Amino acid sequence: MPYRLKDIDRFLETLTFECAYTPEQPKADMFHIRDPKDYPILYTAIIENVDVLLTGDADFKDTEIDHPEILTPTEFLNKY
């Protein structure tokens, strides 16, 4: 879909966002995720109370959490 990059960029520019920073020492064992390197990313999304986490990494889809909503970029574009 390289031909749609400008459309996607234009769409993403209309969304509001805030920066979130990962703590140096995330609290352990809040949830399980297959790849331990992904733990700080999801931990930060949870403690910062983000609404949606966009990722193409399938490890995030296997977690059993309700919030944030975890979507691939395609799922996000189709839904919103």
Side-chain angles (χ1 to χ4, degrees), residues 13-76:
E13 288 172 357
T14 67
L15 302 175
T16 59
F17 65 91
E18 295 177 27
C19 292
Y21 299 94
T22 302
E24 288 186 32
Q25 295 296 320
K27 184 189 269 185
D29 301 324
M30 282 184 58
F31 52 86
H32 174 74
I33 190 162
R34 187 171 41 205
D35 183 351
K37 292 180 183 175
D38 292 331
Y39 188 94
I41 297 165
L42 185 52
Y43 175 82
T44 301
I46 291 169
I47 65 167
E48 292 290 335
N49 199 31
V50 302
D51 296 317
V52 178
L53 177 63
L54 293 180
T55 181
D57 187 335
D59 291 333
F60 288 90
K61 286 294 201 173
D62 292 338
T63 60
E64 294 181 10
I65 62 166
D66 295 324
H67 193 83
E69 182 176 15
I70 300 173
L71 299 172
T72 66
T74 300
E75 291 170 335
F76 180 83

